[in-house]
Amino acid sequence: VTPFGRDLPRPSPDEAVVYLLGPGVGESVVIALPDGRFVLIDVCRSGHTNLPLALLDHLGAGRLDLLVVTHPDLDHVRGLAEVITKRRPHELWRYPLEASIRDFVAAWGKSQGRGQLVADLRVMTDYMHTADGDVSSAAYGNLEWRPSASYTVTALAPTEYDKDRAMRVLHRRLTSAPRELGAWMKRMEVCGAAAAGDAPNVLSVAVVLELGSQRVLFGGDVLRGAPSPKSGWKGVLRLLAKHHRQHLLEDLVGVKVAHHGSRGAFDATVWALHSKTTKTVALVAPFSASRLPDAVTLRDLKRFARRLLVSAPHPQLLELADAAGWSPAPVQVLSESMAPLVGLRLSARGAPAQWFATTTAATFS
Ligand SMILES: [Zn+2]
C-alpha cells in the first residue's frame, strides 16, 4: 500500500518536482527531474515505511542518480542502509570528515545504545569502498552535478573554516572517554548557537538546484554557526561573494529551510538575498511536535517568504503561525495522499513555480 495518492504531481519533460517528506522526526527531499533522473537528499522513516523509497517506487523511479547525505544525525540517515542496498545510487555526495565523524558517531551511538545509527552509517562506509558508485565528500564549491544542460546541483556548505573547526574538536573528543561524548554534545562546542544534540550540523552539506533561471536551496541543517564571519551561512555567503557566485542564493523560487526551521539556523542577511526581488516559498520539515519553528522564526520567515509549507501539522503550529501573522492557506490537491509532504513544481520552460501539499501537511500564506 502506497502512502501517496494517485493525484500526487509527477515530473514530465516540461516539469521538475521537488518533494519534502517529513513525518515529524526526520526529513528527506526527492527531486524528480524533467529527463527522468532522480536526486535524493537524506532519508527518513515513518513507522516501518522508508518514505523516500516508497515515493521513488510510487513515481516509478527505476534509478537513483544522486544521493546526498547531508550529515550523520539520525533524523537524516534513518533508512539510509535500505536506500543504498536497494537503489545503488549512481553517485553519492556525503558530508566531509566521514572517517572521524563515523568514529565519533559510532562511539556516541554505542554509549547511547543507538545501534541503528551505527549500522546505517556502516552500510554507507561499505558502499564507499565498493566500485559501484562514485562517492565524493561535499563542501562549499567543490562539487557540481550537471548530467544535463538544463539543470545543475551545486554544493554550498560546509565551508573549510567549519570543517577545520569540527576537525579539531572531533579529534580532541575522540580521545576522551565514551561517556563524556554525550556531555560534549550538550556543551555544543562545535555547533555554537544550536540546540544540544546537533553537533554534526557544523558539517552539514547544503546544495542548490538550478533549473533554467529557477533556483531552489536545500539548506540541510546548516546553522548560523560560530561568531566568525567565516562560519555557517555568513561563511557561505562570504565565499560566494568572493567568487562572484552570490546569485546562487539570490531570488530563490523555494527554500528547504535549514535545520527544521530552528532559531539557530535563521540568518536574516541570507534570507534578504533569497527574496531580493520576489518573496520565496519556505518549506519546513519540523524536527518533532515539540520542536516546531518558534514564534520569532515564524515572524522572520513572514518577512521574506510569501508562503510557508510545513510537512506535518500540529495544533500548536497553527497557533504559533497565527501569532506570527501567517494565515492558514487551503490545501489544494492530493486528497488521497496520506504521508505528510509538501512540494514545488518547477517549469522547465520558465513558467511560475507552483506549490502543493498533502492534507496531512500545513500551509500558510
Ligand atoms: Zn536534522
Side-chain angles (χ1 to χ4, degrees), residues 232-304:
W233 284 113
K234 56 194 175 307
V236 172
L237 185 55
R238 190 172 182 265
L239 288 170
L240 285 173
K242 187 175 158 193
H243 298 134
H244 308 288
R245 302 195 78 197
Q246 202 166 308
H247 69 278
L248 289 175
L249 287 183
E250 269 176 18
D251 286 323
L252 304 175
V253 166
V255 176
K256 194 299 285 178
V257 177
H259 197 226
H260 316 280
S262 82
R263 193 76 207 129
F266 186 86
D267 186 306
T269 309
V270 172
W271 271 92
L273 277 186
H274 297 344
S275 58
K276 197 172 176 184
T277 56
T278 38
K279 286 185 166 187
T280 183
V281 176
L283 298 91
V284 176
F287 184 77
S288 73
S290 58
R291 300 256 305 266
L292 295 169
D294 65 26
V296 179
T297 308
L298 289 170
R299 205 168 58 226
D300 277 338
L301 285 172
K302 180 77 182 153
R303 285 163 59 203
F304 301 107

Side-chain angles (χ1 to χ4, degrees), residues 27 71 73 75-76 201 221 259-260 287:
E27 68 171 35
H71 65 295
D73 268 342
D75 60 313
H76 296 255
N201 290 347
D221 275 3
H259 197 226
H260 316 280
F287 184 77

Side-chain angles (χ1 to χ4, degrees), residues 9-344:
R10 287 166 180 273
S12 73
D14 288 334
E15 211 170 66
V17 187
V18 170
Y19 311 84
L20 171 62
L21 298 152
V25 176
E27 68 171 35
S28 177
V29 173
V30 171
I31 306 171
L33 291 154
D35 59 3
R37 286 190 173 87
F38 286 87
V39 177
L40 172 60
I41 305 172
D42 294 334
V43 184
C44 66
R45 283 182 157 280
S46 175
H48 292 295
T49 307
N50 187 313
L51 286 174
L53 262 188
L55 180 58
L56 288 168
D57 284 342
H58 180 82
L59 297 171
R63 53 198 281 177
L64 179 54
D65 297 279
L66 173 64
L67 169 62
V68 180
V69 183
T70 61
H71 65 295
D73 268 342
L74 196 55
D75 60 313
H76 296 255
V77 301
R78 194 180 274 128
L80 176 68
E82 204 182 352
V83 167
I84 289 179
T85 309
K86 291 195 172 157
R87 292 285 166 158
R88 309 309 295 178
H90 185 67
E91 200 170 321
L92 196 163
W93 292 4
R94 56 159 172 82
Y95 50 87
L97 307 187
E98 192 274 336
S100 302
I101 275 278
R102 189 184 63 239
D103 289 350
F104 172 75
V105 172
W108 177 78
K110 232 167 147 183
S111 72
Q112 305 285 309
R114 307 291 278 277
Q116 190 53 48
L117 175 61
V118 180
D120 272 329
L121 293 178
R122 191 177 304 126
V123 171
M124 184 164 85
T125 311
D126 292 345
Y127 175 84
M128 288 190 296
H129 296 293
T130 69
D132 272 25
D134 192 356
V135 181
S136 316
S137 164
Y140 168 83
N142 76 335
L143 294 174
E144 202 173 71
W145 188 68
R146 193 201 289 264
S148 147
S150 58
Y151 56 82
T152 310
V153 174
T154 306
L156 287 185
T159 61
E160 285 300 318
Y161 177 86
D162 281 331
K163 273 170 64 177
D164 289 349
R165 195 160 66 94
M167 183 74 145
R168 280 196 304 274
V169 177
L170 273 170
H171 279 202
R172 198 162 69 235
R173 289 302 163 191
L174 274 170
T175 55
S176 66
R179 64 187 163 72
E180 287 174 25
L181 294 170
W184 172 74
M185 287 277 199
K186 288 198 182 81
R187 282 202 301 272
M188 317 171 203
E189 284 192 21
V190 168
C191 52
D198 294 324
N201 290 347
V202 73
L203 288 171
S204 178
V205 174
V207 300
V208 64
L209 164 72
E210 292 173 273
L211 176 76
S213 60
Q214 304 177 93
R215 287 179 290 275
V216 180
L217 173 66
F218 302 94
D221 275 3
V222 177
L223 304 172
R224 277 206 305 270
S228 163
K230 296 178 179 176
S231 181
W233 284 113
K234 56 194 175 307
V236 172
L237 185 55
R238 190 172 182 265
L239 288 170
L240 285 173
K242 187 175 158 193
H243 298 134
H244 308 288
R245 302 195 78 197
Q246 202 166 308
H247 69 278
L248 289 175
L249 287 183
E250 269 176 18
D251 286 323
L252 304 175
V253 166
V255 176
K256 194 299 285 178
V257 177
H259 197 226
H260 316 280
S262 82
R263 193 76 207 129
F266 186 86
D267 186 306
T269 309
V270 172
W271 271 92
L273 277 186
H274 297 344
S275 58
K276 197 172 176 184
T277 56
T278 38
K279 286 185 166 187
T280 183
V281 176
L283 298 91
V284 176
F287 184 77
S288 73
S290 58
R291 300 256 305 266
L292 295 169
D294 65 26
V296 179
T297 308
L298 289 170
R299 205 168 58 226
D300 277 338
L301 285 172
K302 180 77 182 153
R303 285 163 59 203
F304 301 107
R306 67 189 162 90
R307 199 167 288 278
L308 173 65
L309 309 177
V310 185
S311 66
H314 302 289
Q316 200 202 344
L317 174 68
L318 300 175
E319 239 169 75
L320 282 169
D322 181 55
W326 290 99
S327 316
V331 175
Q332 294 176 331
V333 285
L334 316 176
S335 54
E336 295 172 66
S337 297
M338 287 144 61
L341 180 152
V342 296
L344 291 173

